[in-house]
Amino acid sequence: MSELQNKADELGGKVKEAAGDAVGNEDLENQGKGEQTASKVKQGAEDLKDKATETLGKLTDK
């Protein structure tokens, strides 16, 4: 998944959270919070993968 897709998922989660808060729907609000957290975890994993690939590339170039 791309960084752009992760940001879109995070934004969708924020919208759900705000909508749930606005109408008093706690389940929708919590679902939005969960989607935001999931997108941040995915992005963190992708960042870690990129750093590991970069580091491995530097080690193999020597």
Side-chain angles (χ1 to χ4, degrees):
M1 190 173 283
S2 71
E3 184 175 345
L4 183 60
Q5 183 63 47
N6 287 331
K7 290 293 182 185
D9 291 345
E10 184 177 351
L11 180 60
K14 287 181 181 183
V15 169
K16 282 185 180 179
E17 180 184 0
D21 186 46
V23 298
N25 185 331
E26 193 172 317
D27 288 337
L28 184 59
E29 188 176 352
N30 288 333
Q31 183 180 3
K33 288 178 183 180
E35 288 180 10
Q36 290 174 66
T37 300
S39 70
K40 289 176 183 177
V41 168
K42 288 177 193 174
Q43 187 59 50
E46 286 185 25
D47 291 346
L48 180 61
K49 182 184 123 195
D50 291 345
K51 289 291 182 187
T53 301
E54 180 183 323
T55 301
L56 183 59
K58 288 179 182 177
L59 291 174
T60 57
D61 288 342
K62 290 183 178 184

